[in-house]
Amino acid sequence: MARTESKMLPIGTQAPDFTLPDTVSGKNISLTDVKSEVATVIMFICNHCKYVKHVNPKIVEIVSKFKPKGVKFVGISSNDIINFPEDAPEEMTKTAKALAYDFPYLYDESQEIAKAYDAACTPDFYVFDKELKLVYRGRLDGSTPGNDIPLTGTDLRGALRAVVAGDYVSEIQYPSMGCNIKWIE
């Protein structure tokens, strides 16, 4: 697993559209299905990455705090499942249930959606406003496995607080760091 930083899609970018299978409900979910009138959070995550495993408890907590405020969340896994079978759709279903994900967990088999979002690593977080314009991208917080920085969700939480309040989201944002997306060769 190569430690990789996110590429930091430009602020103001329109959210790329998608329709992908949800490994939780079994339905196809599109961007319009998860669009919020407050904020929409797109998270590139997967099952096997130690960085995602590290932040999973805080993701679940943040979803439970901000979903009642009108924020919608979606997780997308785009990894090559031939070489990383832990990330296969049936394993995604098990993970979503075991961790009580309260959001769709979509499978991007073609990897076209990861490319459209310029996603590079897992986890990688994108916050879009009610017009689906990018206002935040990057990390959950400064905590990574083994660096002894407490897991707080400060960066993502701060962006969400600002969007919910109708305030300006600071453009001082830091790239996420995690496992590189496992591209199909």
Short mmCIF file of all heavy atoms in Angstrom, two decimals, residues 24-84:
data_model
loop_
_atom_site.label_atom_id
_atom_site.label_comp_id
_atom_site.label_asym_id
_atom_site.label_seq_id
_atom_site.Cartn_x
_atom_site.Cartn_y
_atom_site.Cartn_z
N VAL A 24 -25.33 -1.63 -0.16
CA VAL A 24 -26.16 -1.74 1.03
C VAL A 24 -27.61 -2.05 0.64
O VAL A 24 -28.19 -3.03 1.10
CB VAL A 24 -26.10 -0.45 1.89
CG1 VAL A 24 -27.01 -0.55 3.09
CG2 VAL A 24 -24.67 -0.17 2.33
N SER A 25 -28.19 -1.24 -0.24
CA SER A 25 -29.60 -1.41 -0.62
C SER A 25 -29.80 -2.31 -1.83
O SER A 25 -30.91 -2.79 -2.06
CB SER A 25 -30.23 -0.04 -0.91
OG SER A 25 -29.69 0.49 -2.12
N GLY A 26 -28.76 -2.48 -2.63
CA GLY A 26 -28.89 -3.25 -3.86
C GLY A 26 -29.43 -2.43 -5.03
O GLY A 26 -29.62 -2.94 -6.13
N LYS A 27 -29.69 -1.15 -4.81
CA LYS A 27 -30.22 -0.27 -5.85
C LYS A 27 -29.11 0.53 -6.50
O LYS A 27 -28.05 0.72 -5.91
CB LYS A 27 -31.23 0.71 -5.23
CG LYS A 27 -32.42 0.06 -4.58
CD LYS A 27 -33.29 1.10 -3.92
CE LYS A 27 -34.45 0.43 -3.20
NZ LYS A 27 -35.26 1.41 -2.47
N ASN A 28 -29.38 1.03 -7.70
CA ASN A 28 -28.47 1.98 -8.32
C ASN A 28 -28.77 3.36 -7.73
O ASN A 28 -29.94 3.75 -7.64
CB ASN A 28 -28.63 2.01 -9.84
CG ASN A 28 -27.97 0.83 -10.50
OD1 ASN A 28 -27.05 0.23 -9.95
ND2 ASN A 28 -28.43 0.48 -11.69
N ILE A 29 -27.73 4.07 -7.34
CA ILE A 29 -27.85 5.39 -6.72
C ILE A 29 -27.13 6.40 -7.59
O ILE A 29 -25.98 6.17 -8.00
CB ILE A 29 -27.23 5.39 -5.30
CG1 ILE A 29 -27.86 4.32 -4.41
CG2 ILE A 29 -27.29 6.78 -4.68
CD1 ILE A 29 -29.22 4.63 -3.89
N SER A 30 -27.79 7.52 -7.86
CA SER A 30 -27.17 8.58 -8.65
C SER A 30 -26.86 9.77 -7.76
O SER A 30 -27.34 9.87 -6.62
CB SER A 30 -28.10 9.01 -9.79
OG SER A 30 -29.23 9.68 -9.25
N LEU A 31 -26.10 10.70 -8.30
CA LEU A 31 -25.78 11.92 -7.57
C LEU A 31 -27.06 12.65 -7.18
O LEU A 31 -27.17 13.15 -6.06
CB LEU A 31 -24.86 12.83 -8.39
CG LEU A 31 -24.47 14.16 -7.76
CD1 LEU A 31 -23.73 13.96 -6.45
CD2 LEU A 31 -23.62 14.98 -8.74
N THR A 32 -28.05 12.69 -8.07
CA THR A 32 -29.29 13.39 -7.75
C THR A 32 -30.03 12.70 -6.59
O THR A 32 -30.74 13.36 -5.83
CB THR A 32 -30.22 13.51 -8.97
OG1 THR A 32 -30.46 12.22 -9.52
CG2 THR A 32 -29.62 14.41 -10.03
N ASP A 33 -29.85 11.40 -6.42
CA ASP A 33 -30.47 10.69 -5.30
C ASP A 33 -29.87 11.09 -3.96
O ASP A 33 -30.55 11.01 -2.93
CB ASP A 33 -30.32 9.16 -5.45
CG ASP A 33 -31.05 8.60 -6.65
OD1 ASP A 33 -32.13 9.13 -7.01
OD2 ASP A 33 -30.53 7.62 -7.25
N VAL A 34 -28.62 11.47 -3.95
CA VAL A 34 -27.94 11.80 -2.68
C VAL A 34 -27.71 13.31 -2.52
O VAL A 34 -27.18 13.73 -1.49
CB VAL A 34 -26.60 11.04 -2.52
CG1 VAL A 34 -26.86 9.55 -2.41
CG2 VAL A 34 -25.63 11.35 -3.64
N LYS A 35 -28.14 14.10 -3.49
CA LYS A 35 -27.95 15.55 -3.41
C LYS A 35 -28.76 16.11 -2.24
O LYS A 35 -29.91 15.75 -2.03
CB LYS A 35 -28.41 16.21 -4.71
CG LYS A 35 -28.24 17.72 -4.70
CD LYS A 35 -28.87 18.35 -5.92
CE LYS A 35 -28.67 19.85 -5.95
NZ LYS A 35 -29.39 20.56 -4.91
N SER A 36 -28.13 17.02 -1.52
CA SER A 36 -28.76 17.66 -0.37
C SER A 36 -28.96 19.14 -0.65
O SER A 36 -28.19 19.75 -1.38
CB SER A 36 -27.86 17.49 0.86
OG SER A 36 -28.23 18.39 1.88
N GLU A 37 -29.96 19.71 -0.03
CA GLU A 37 -30.18 21.16 -0.11
C GLU A 37 -29.28 21.90 0.89
O GLU A 37 -29.35 23.11 1.00
CB GLU A 37 -31.65 21.49 0.14
CG GLU A 37 -32.56 21.05 -1.01
CD GLU A 37 -32.15 21.63 -2.36
OE1 GLU A 37 -31.88 22.85 -2.44
OE2 GLU A 37 -32.07 20.87 -3.34
N VAL A 38 -28.44 21.16 1.60
CA VAL A 38 -27.50 21.76 2.56
C VAL A 38 -26.07 21.48 2.10
O VAL A 38 -25.33 22.38 1.75
CB VAL A 38 -27.74 21.23 3.99
CG1 VAL A 38 -26.72 21.82 4.96
CG2 VAL A 38 -29.16 21.52 4.45
N ALA A 39 -25.69 20.20 2.12
CA ALA A 39 -24.35 19.78 1.71
C ALA A 39 -24.37 18.30 1.38
O ALA A 39 -25.12 17.53 1.99
CB ALA A 39 -23.33 20.05 2.81
N THR A 40 -23.56 17.92 0.42
CA THR A 40 -23.42 16.53 0.02
C THR A 40 -21.95 16.16 0.18
O THR A 40 -21.07 16.84 -0.35
CB THR A 40 -23.86 16.34 -1.44
OG1 THR A 40 -25.19 16.85 -1.60
CG2 THR A 40 -23.81 14.88 -1.86
N VAL A 41 -21.70 15.08 0.92
CA VAL A 41 -20.34 14.63 1.17
C VAL A 41 -20.09 13.34 0.40
O VAL A 41 -20.80 12.35 0.58
CB VAL A 41 -20.09 14.40 2.67
CG1 VAL A 41 -18.65 13.94 2.92
CG2 VAL A 41 -20.41 15.65 3.48
N ILE A 42 -19.10 13.37 -0.48
CA ILE A 42 -18.67 12.20 -1.23
C ILE A 42 -17.36 11.74 -0.60
O ILE A 42 -16.40 12.51 -0.51
CB ILE A 42 -18.44 12.52 -2.72
CG1 ILE A 42 -19.65 13.23 -3.35
CG2 ILE A 42 -18.05 11.25 -3.49
CD1 ILE A 42 -20.90 12.43 -3.45
N MET A 43 -17.33 10.47 -0.17
CA MET A 43 -16.14 9.92 0.50
C MET A 43 -15.62 8.74 -0.32
O MET A 43 -16.35 7.79 -0.55
CB MET A 43 -16.51 9.43 1.91
CG MET A 43 -17.19 10.45 2.77
SD MET A 43 -17.77 9.78 4.37
CE MET A 43 -19.18 8.79 3.85
N PHE A 44 -14.39 8.82 -0.76
CA PHE A 44 -13.76 7.67 -1.39
C PHE A 44 -13.12 6.86 -0.27
O PHE A 44 -12.19 7.33 0.40
CB PHE A 44 -12.76 8.10 -2.47
CG PHE A 44 -13.47 8.53 -3.72
CD1 PHE A 44 -13.90 9.84 -3.86
CD2 PHE A 44 -13.77 7.61 -4.71
CE1 PHE A 44 -14.61 10.23 -4.99
CE2 PHE A 44 -14.47 7.99 -5.85
CZ PHE A 44 -14.89 9.31 -5.98
N ILE A 45 -13.66 5.68 -0.04
CA ILE A 45 -13.23 4.80 1.04
C ILE A 45 -13.13 3.38 0.49
O ILE A 45 -13.48 3.13 -0.67
CB ILE A 45 -14.19 4.86 2.25
CG1 ILE A 45 -15.63 4.51 1.84
CG2 ILE A 45 -14.14 6.25 2.90
CD1 ILE A 45 -16.62 4.47 3.00
N CYS A 46 -12.67 2.46 1.29
CA CYS A 46 -12.63 1.05 0.91
C CYS A 46 -12.55 0.23 2.19
O CYS A 46 -12.52 0.78 3.28
CB CYS A 46 -11.45 0.76 -0.02
SG CYS A 46 -9.85 0.92 0.78
N ASN A 47 -12.52 -1.07 2.05
CA ASN A 47 -12.51 -1.95 3.22
C ASN A 47 -11.11 -2.22 3.75
O ASN A 47 -10.92 -2.31 4.95
CB ASN A 47 -13.15 -3.30 2.87
CG ASN A 47 -14.62 -3.18 2.63
OD1 ASN A 47 -15.26 -2.18 2.93
ND2 ASN A 47 -15.19 -4.23 2.05
N HIS A 48 -10.13 -2.41 2.87
CA HIS A 48 -8.85 -2.96 3.31
C HIS A 48 -7.86 -1.92 3.84
O HIS A 48 -6.94 -2.26 4.58
CB HIS A 48 -8.19 -3.78 2.19
CG HIS A 48 -7.37 -2.95 1.25
ND1 HIS A 48 -7.91 -2.30 0.17
CD2 HIS A 48 -6.04 -2.64 1.27
CE1 HIS A 48 -6.95 -1.63 -0.46
NE2 HIS A 48 -5.81 -1.83 0.19
N CYS A 49 -8.02 -0.67 3.50
CA CYS A 49 -7.03 0.37 3.81
C CYS A 49 -6.96 0.67 5.31
O CYS A 49 -7.96 0.99 5.94
CB CYS A 49 -7.38 1.64 3.03
SG CYS A 49 -6.37 3.06 3.46
N LYS A 50 -5.75 0.63 5.86
CA LYS A 50 -5.58 0.90 7.29
C LYS A 50 -5.94 2.33 7.64
O LYS A 50 -6.35 2.62 8.76
CB LYS A 50 -4.16 0.57 7.75
CG LYS A 50 -3.07 1.49 7.22
CD LYS A 50 -1.70 1.09 7.72
CE LYS A 50 -0.62 2.02 7.20
NZ LYS A 50 0.70 1.66 7.72
N TYR A 51 -5.81 3.26 6.70
CA TYR A 51 -6.17 4.65 6.95
C TYR A 51 -7.69 4.80 7.09
O TYR A 51 -8.17 5.54 7.94
CB TYR A 51 -5.64 5.56 5.84
CG TYR A 51 -4.14 5.65 5.80
CD1 TYR A 51 -3.38 4.72 5.09
CD2 TYR A 51 -3.47 6.67 6.47
CE1 TYR A 51 -2.00 4.80 5.06
CE2 TYR A 51 -2.08 6.77 6.44
CZ TYR A 51 -1.36 5.82 5.73
OH TYR A 51 0.01 5.91 5.70
N VAL A 52 -8.42 4.09 6.24
CA VAL A 52 -9.89 4.11 6.32
C VAL A 52 -10.33 3.42 7.61
O VAL A 52 -11.20 3.93 8.33
CB VAL A 52 -10.54 3.45 5.08
CG1 VAL A 52 -12.06 3.39 5.25
CG2 VAL A 52 -10.18 4.21 3.81
N LYS A 53 -9.74 2.28 7.91
CA LYS A 53 -10.09 1.57 9.15
C LYS A 53 -9.87 2.48 10.36
O LYS A 53 -10.65 2.48 11.31
CB LYS A 53 -9.27 0.29 9.29
CG LYS A 53 -9.68 -0.79 8.31
CD LYS A 53 -8.79 -2.01 8.44
CE LYS A 53 -9.21 -3.09 7.46
NZ LYS A 53 -8.37 -4.30 7.57
N HIS A 54 -8.82 3.27 10.30
CA HIS A 54 -8.49 4.20 11.40
C HIS A 54 -9.58 5.26 11.59
O HIS A 54 -9.92 5.59 12.72
CB HIS A 54 -7.13 4.85 11.10
CG HIS A 54 -6.69 5.88 12.09
ND1 HIS A 54 -6.24 5.55 13.36
CD2 HIS A 54 -6.63 7.23 12.01
CE1 HIS A 54 -5.92 6.66 14.01
NE2 HIS A 54 -6.15 7.69 13.21
N VAL A 55 -10.12 5.80 10.49
CA VAL A 55 -11.08 6.90 10.59
C VAL A 55 -12.54 6.45 10.61
O VAL A 55 -13.43 7.27 10.87
CB VAL A 55 -10.86 7.96 9.48
CG1 VAL A 55 -9.47 8.55 9.56
CG2 VAL A 55 -11.15 7.41 8.10
N ASN A 56 -12.81 5.18 10.34
CA ASN A 56 -14.19 4.71 10.27
C ASN A 56 -15.05 5.11 11.48
O ASN A 56 -16.17 5.58 11.29
CB ASN A 56 -14.25 3.19 10.07
CG ASN A 56 -14.40 2.81 8.62
OD1 ASN A 56 -15.02 3.53 7.84
ND2 ASN A 56 -13.84 1.67 8.25
N PRO A 57 -14.58 4.96 12.72
CA PRO A 57 -15.43 5.36 13.85
C PRO A 57 -15.82 6.84 13.80
O PRO A 57 -16.95 7.20 14.12
CB PRO A 57 -14.57 5.06 15.08
CG PRO A 57 -13.54 4.10 14.63
CD PRO A 57 -13.30 4.39 13.17
N LYS A 58 -14.91 7.69 13.37
CA LYS A 58 -15.20 9.12 13.31
C LYS A 58 -16.13 9.43 12.14
O LYS A 58 -16.98 10.31 12.25
CB LYS A 58 -13.91 9.93 13.21
CG LYS A 58 -14.05 11.38 13.53
CD LYS A 58 -14.70 11.69 14.88
CE LYS A 58 -13.87 11.27 16.05
NZ LYS A 58 -14.49 11.62 17.35
N ILE A 59 -15.99 8.70 11.02
CA ILE A 59 -16.92 8.89 9.90
C ILE A 59 -18.34 8.60 10.38
O ILE A 59 -19.26 9.40 10.16
CB ILE A 59 -16.56 7.97 8.71
CG1 ILE A 59 -15.27 8.43 8.03
CG2 ILE A 59 -17.72 7.94 7.69
CD1 ILE A 59 -14.76 7.48 6.96
N VAL A 60 -18.54 7.47 11.04
CA VAL A 60 -19.87 7.08 11.53
C VAL A 60 -20.41 8.15 12.49
O VAL A 60 -21.58 8.53 12.42
CB VAL A 60 -19.81 5.68 12.18
CG1 VAL A 60 -21.10 5.35 12.89
CG2 VAL A 60 -19.49 4.62 11.11
N GLU A 61 -19.56 8.66 13.36
CA GLU A 61 -19.97 9.70 14.31
C GLU A 61 -20.37 10.99 13.60
O GLU A 61 -21.39 11.61 13.92
CB GLU A 61 -18.83 9.98 15.29
CG GLU A 61 -19.13 11.05 16.31
CD GLU A 61 -17.91 11.35 17.15
OE1 GLU A 61 -17.33 10.41 17.74
OE2 GLU A 61 -17.53 12.54 17.23
N ILE A 62 -19.58 11.42 12.63
CA ILE A 62 -19.87 12.66 11.90
C ILE A 62 -21.16 12.52 11.10
O ILE A 62 -21.99 13.44 11.08
CB ILE A 62 -18.67 13.06 11.02
CG1 ILE A 62 -17.52 13.56 11.91
CG2 ILE A 62 -19.06 14.12 9.99
CD1 ILE A 62 -16.20 13.78 11.19
N VAL A 63 -21.37 11.37 10.48
CA VAL A 63 -22.61 11.15 9.75
C VAL A 63 -23.80 11.26 10.70
O VAL A 63 -24.79 11.93 10.40
CB VAL A 63 -22.60 9.77 9.03
CG1 VAL A 63 -23.98 9.43 8.48
CG2 VAL A 63 -21.56 9.76 7.90
N SER A 64 -23.70 10.63 11.87
CA SER A 64 -24.82 10.67 12.81
C SER A 64 -25.08 12.09 13.33
O SER A 64 -26.22 12.44 13.63
CB SER A 64 -24.59 9.71 13.98
OG SER A 64 -23.58 10.18 14.84
N LYS A 65 -24.06 12.92 13.39
CA LYS A 65 -24.24 14.31 13.86
C LYS A 65 -24.80 15.23 12.78
O LYS A 65 -25.63 16.08 13.06
CB LYS A 65 -22.90 14.85 14.36
CG LYS A 65 -23.02 16.29 14.82
CD LYS A 65 -21.78 16.82 15.46
CE LYS A 65 -22.00 18.28 15.77
NZ LYS A 65 -21.51 18.71 17.01
N PHE A 66 -24.34 15.07 11.54
CA PHE A 66 -24.70 16.02 10.50
C PHE A 66 -25.87 15.58 9.60
O PHE A 66 -26.50 16.42 8.97
CB PHE A 66 -23.47 16.38 9.65
CG PHE A 66 -22.56 17.31 10.38
CD1 PHE A 66 -21.48 16.83 11.11
CD2 PHE A 66 -22.77 18.68 10.36
CE1 PHE A 66 -20.63 17.68 11.80
CE2 PHE A 66 -21.93 19.55 11.05
CZ PHE A 66 -20.86 19.05 11.77
N LYS A 67 -26.16 14.31 9.55
CA LYS A 67 -27.29 13.85 8.74
C LYS A 67 -28.60 14.49 9.21
O LYS A 67 -29.39 14.94 8.38
CB LYS A 67 -27.36 12.32 8.76
CG LYS A 67 -28.24 11.75 7.68
CD LYS A 67 -28.10 10.24 7.60
CE LYS A 67 -29.05 9.69 6.56
NZ LYS A 67 -29.00 8.24 6.50
N PRO A 68 -28.87 14.58 10.53
CA PRO A 68 -30.09 15.26 10.98
C PRO A 68 -30.16 16.75 10.62
O PRO A 68 -31.22 17.35 10.64
CB PRO A 68 -30.07 15.07 12.50
CG PRO A 68 -29.18 13.91 12.75
CD PRO A 68 -28.15 13.96 11.65
N LYS A 69 -29.02 17.33 10.26
CA LYS A 69 -28.97 18.74 9.86
C LYS A 69 -29.14 18.91 8.36
O LYS A 69 -28.96 20.01 7.83
CB LYS A 69 -27.66 19.37 10.33
CG LYS A 69 -27.53 19.37 11.84
CD LYS A 69 -26.20 19.91 12.30
CE LYS A 69 -26.16 19.81 13.82
NZ LYS A 69 -25.02 20.47 14.41
N GLY A 70 -29.44 17.81 7.66
CA GLY A 70 -29.70 17.88 6.23
C GLY A 70 -28.53 17.54 5.34
O GLY A 70 -28.63 17.60 4.12
N VAL A 71 -27.40 17.18 5.92
CA VAL A 71 -26.22 16.81 5.13
C VAL A 71 -26.39 15.35 4.69
O VAL A 71 -26.80 14.50 5.47
CB VAL A 71 -24.93 16.97 5.94
CG1 VAL A 71 -23.72 16.52 5.12
CG2 VAL A 71 -24.76 18.42 6.40
N LYS A 72 -26.10 15.09 3.42
CA LYS A 72 -26.16 13.72 2.92
C LYS A 72 -24.75 13.23 2.64
O LYS A 72 -23.87 14.00 2.23
CB LYS A 72 -27.03 13.63 1.67
CG LYS A 72 -28.50 13.87 1.98
CD LYS A 72 -29.35 13.53 0.80
CE LYS A 72 -30.82 13.73 1.13
NZ LYS A 72 -31.65 13.44 -0.05
N PHE A 73 -24.55 11.94 2.86
CA PHE A 73 -23.24 11.30 2.71
C PHE A 73 -23.35 10.11 1.78
O PHE A 73 -24.36 9.42 1.76
CB PHE A 73 -22.75 10.80 4.07
CG PHE A 73 -22.49 11.87 5.08
CD1 PHE A 73 -23.54 12.44 5.80
CD2 PHE A 73 -21.21 12.33 5.32
CE1 PHE A 73 -23.31 13.43 6.74
CE2 PHE A 73 -20.96 13.32 6.26
CZ PHE A 73 -22.02 13.88 6.97
N VAL A 74 -22.26 9.85 1.06
CA VAL A 74 -22.15 8.64 0.25
C VAL A 74 -20.70 8.20 0.24
O VAL A 74 -19.79 9.02 0.15
CB VAL A 74 -22.70 8.85 -1.19
CG1 VAL A 74 -21.90 9.89 -1.94
CG2 VAL A 74 -22.75 7.55 -1.97
N GLY A 75 -20.48 6.90 0.39
CA GLY A 75 -19.15 6.32 0.28
C GLY A 75 -19.02 5.64 -1.08
O GLY A 75 -19.99 5.06 -1.57
N ILE A 76 -17.85 5.74 -1.67
CA ILE A 76 -17.58 5.10 -2.96
C ILE A 76 -16.27 4.35 -2.85
O ILE A 76 -15.26 4.90 -2.41
CB ILE A 76 -17.49 6.13 -4.11
CG1 ILE A 76 -18.81 6.91 -4.25
CG2 ILE A 76 -17.11 5.44 -5.43
CD1 ILE A 76 -18.76 8.04 -5.29
N SER A 77 -16.29 3.08 -3.27
CA SER A 77 -15.06 2.30 -3.37
C SER A 77 -14.78 2.03 -4.83
O SER A 77 -15.66 1.55 -5.56
CB SER A 77 -15.19 0.98 -2.61
OG SER A 77 -13.99 0.23 -2.74
N SER A 78 -13.57 2.34 -5.25
CA SER A 78 -13.19 2.22 -6.67
C SER A 78 -12.03 1.26 -6.89
O SER A 78 -11.46 1.23 -7.97
CB SER A 78 -12.79 3.61 -7.20
OG SER A 78 -13.85 4.52 -7.06
N ASN A 79 -11.68 0.49 -5.89
CA ASN A 79 -10.48 -0.34 -5.99
C ASN A 79 -10.66 -1.56 -6.89
O ASN A 79 -11.75 -2.11 -7.04
CB ASN A 79 -10.04 -0.82 -4.60
CG ASN A 79 -9.30 0.25 -3.85
OD1 ASN A 79 -8.88 1.26 -4.41
ND2 ASN A 79 -9.14 0.05 -2.55
N ASP A 80 -9.54 -1.99 -7.44
CA ASP A 80 -9.42 -3.22 -8.22
C ASP A 80 -9.70 -4.40 -7.29
O ASP A 80 -8.94 -4.65 -6.36
CB ASP A 80 -8.00 -3.30 -8.79
CG ASP A 80 -7.64 -4.65 -9.40
OD1 ASP A 80 -8.54 -5.49 -9.60
OD2 ASP A 80 -6.45 -4.85 -9.68
N ILE A 81 -10.80 -5.12 -7.54
CA ILE A 81 -11.17 -6.21 -6.64
C ILE A 81 -10.51 -7.54 -7.00
O ILE A 81 -10.55 -8.48 -6.22
CB ILE A 81 -12.69 -6.38 -6.52
CG1 ILE A 81 -13.30 -6.77 -7.87
CG2 ILE A 81 -13.31 -5.11 -5.95
CD1 ILE A 81 -14.74 -7.21 -7.77
N ILE A 82 -9.88 -7.61 -8.16
CA ILE A 82 -9.15 -8.83 -8.51
C ILE A 82 -7.94 -8.97 -7.60
O ILE A 82 -7.70 -10.02 -7.01
CB ILE A 82 -8.72 -8.83 -10.00
CG1 ILE A 82 -9.94 -8.73 -10.92
CG2 ILE A 82 -7.88 -10.07 -10.32
CD1 ILE A 82 -10.95 -9.84 -10.79
N ASN A 83 -7.20 -7.89 -7.46
CA ASN A 83 -6.00 -7.91 -6.61
C ASN A 83 -6.29 -7.57 -5.15
O ASN A 83 -5.45 -7.81 -4.29
CB ASN A 83 -4.95 -6.97 -7.18
CG ASN A 83 -4.41 -7.47 -8.51
OD1 ASN A 83 -3.96 -8.61 -8.60
ND2 ASN A 83 -4.48 -6.65 -9.53
N PHE A 84 -7.48 -7.00 -4.89
CA PHE A 84 -7.87 -6.62 -3.52
C PHE A 84 -9.29 -7.11 -3.26
O PHE A 84 -10.23 -6.31 -3.18
CB PHE A 84 -7.73 -5.10 -3.33
CG PHE A 84 -6.31 -4.65 -3.45
CD1 PHE A 84 -5.77 -4.33 -4.69
CD2 PHE A 84 -5.49 -4.62 -2.33
CE1 PHE A 84 -4.44 -3.96 -4.81
CE2 PHE A 84 -4.15 -4.26 -2.45
CZ PHE A 84 -3.63 -3.94 -3.69
#
